[in-house]
Amino acid sequence: MGIRFFRGQKTRFEHEYRQLREIVELLRREYPREPVYLLTSVLVANGQIDCIILTRKGPLILELKAFRGEVHGLENGTWEVITGDGAIPLPNFFLQAKIHRQDFIDRLIPICREHFPHIRESNLRRTGSWLYFCRGSTYPEGQVDFRKVKWFRIATADTLIQQMRFLDSGYTLRIQDMDAIAGGLRLQEYSFETDHPLVPAERKRARPLVSRSALITILIIFVVFFAATAFVLIVPGARIAVANMIQ
C-alpha cells in the first residue's frame, strides 16, 4: 500500500525532518502491505503536533524530541535529559503531550460523528500521545506509571514498532476513515521525498463524438427541412407546385 503523507505546515526544523525520516523507514519495514498515513506539523488549539500516525489500530501522536540521554520527568514539574555533557533542563513534556492529545481528540470527535459514527467516542479517548526521543535514550522506571497512564509512553527508534504492536484502540480504521481524518483536519498531501504538494490529477473531459459547430449545422438543416415539410403539407397548392418543379 505504501505510506501517504499529509501536513498542516512544512517541517521547519532539520532535527524534526531527520526523526521523521527515521520513523518513515521503520513504518515502511513494518507495514509494507497495510495502509499508513503520516500527518505532520498539524496545528491544534494549543500548539502544533509534530507527527500523527494513522494505522488500522487508530491514531498515534508523536511529539519529536531531539535529545539523547537518560530522560527524567513526572506529571508535574520540569523535565531533564542527562547527557554525556551534563543535565539539560526541559519543560514539562508530559503536560504538552496531554494538552495536544486533548486538542486532537476534540478535533477528531466531530469528524467521527460525520464519517464513521460506528466508532464510539469513548474509544477515541484511547488515543496515545507519546514522546519520541533520539535513538539510545532511556526512561528509568519509577517515574510516570504507564500502567495507569495508558496513553503515554516514551519511545525511540529502538522501541517504537514493538510498542505500536500493543496499541489497543478498540476499533479499526478503514482507508476511508483515514481519508476523512486527513480531510477533516484540512491537511495537504505531499511527497516526503521531494517535499512538494501532490495535486490530484484533473479528470479528462470526454471529447464529444460531434463537434459543437457540426452539431449546430445539423440542427439548422433539421429545422429548415422540418419547416419546408410543414409548408408543403399546410399551404394549399404547395404540394402541386413542388411536384411540377421536380418534373
Side-chain angles (χ1 to χ4, degrees), residues 23-202:
I23 292 168
V24 169
E25 292 174 357
L26 293 171
L27 294 175
R28 281 175 172 163
R29 289 198 296 268
E30 181 68 13
Y31 303 98
R33 295 180 178 84
E34 293 186 29
V36 176
Y37 286 26
L38 194 70
L39 319 181
T40 59
S41 302
V42 180
L43 292 176
V44 289
N46 292 286
Q48 176 180 287
I49 297 175
D50 297 327
C51 175
I52 304 171
I53 303 173
L54 301 182
T55 66
R56 295 187 185 277
K57 293 184 177 181
L60 173 63
I61 298 170
L62 294 181
E63 300 289 357
L64 308 181
K65 305 302 176 187
F67 300 98
R68 178 181 289 105
E70 188 175 278
V71 182
H72 292 267
L74 300 173
E75 294 89 343
N76 299 292
T78 57
W79 282 47
E80 67 176 7
V81 175
I82 300 176
T83 69
D85 297 324
I88 301 175
L90 300 169
N92 190 319
F93 287 153
F94 177 87
L95 182 60
Q96 180 193 39
K98 180 180 180 181
I99 292 174
H100 285 179
R101 172 178 175 271
Q102 187 59 55
D103 287 344
F104 176 69
I105 292 173
D106 290 343
R107 186 61 66 188
L108 186 59
I109 286 176
I111 299 174
C112 172
R113 290 173 179 170
E114 180 178 356
H115 297 282
F116 38 93
H118 61 281
I119 296 177
R120 293 185 299 177
E121 293 180 12
S122 59
N123 284 346
L124 298 180
R125 302 194 180 280
R126 296 186 182 183
T127 299
S129 185
W130 300 358
L131 303 179
Y132 185 87
F133 284 86
C134 293
R135 188 187 296 270
S137 297
T138 59
Y139 185 73
E141 294 183 359
Q143 303 187 79
V144 176
D145 190 344
F146 298 148
R147 293 172 299 178
K148 295 181 179 179
V149 189
K150 298 183 182 299
W151 55 265
F152 183 73
R153 293 288 186 276
I154 303 293
T156 68
D158 303 311
T159 64
L160 177 64
I161 295 301
Q162 181 179 357
Q163 290 171 300
M164 288 182 63
R165 290 171 184 161
F166 296 98
L167 288 173
D168 181 19
S169 64
Y171 60 89
T172 299
L173 276 185
R174 305 164 300 180
I175 292 179
Q176 57 264 42
D177 302 333
M178 299 181 192
D179 287 335
I181 292 173
L185 294 173
R186 306 292 179 86
L187 303 181
Q188 177 191 62
E189 188 169 9
Y190 72 103
S191 166
F192 187 77
E193 282 68 27
T194 66
D195 200 40
H196 294 158
L198 297 181
V199 180
E202 294 184 0

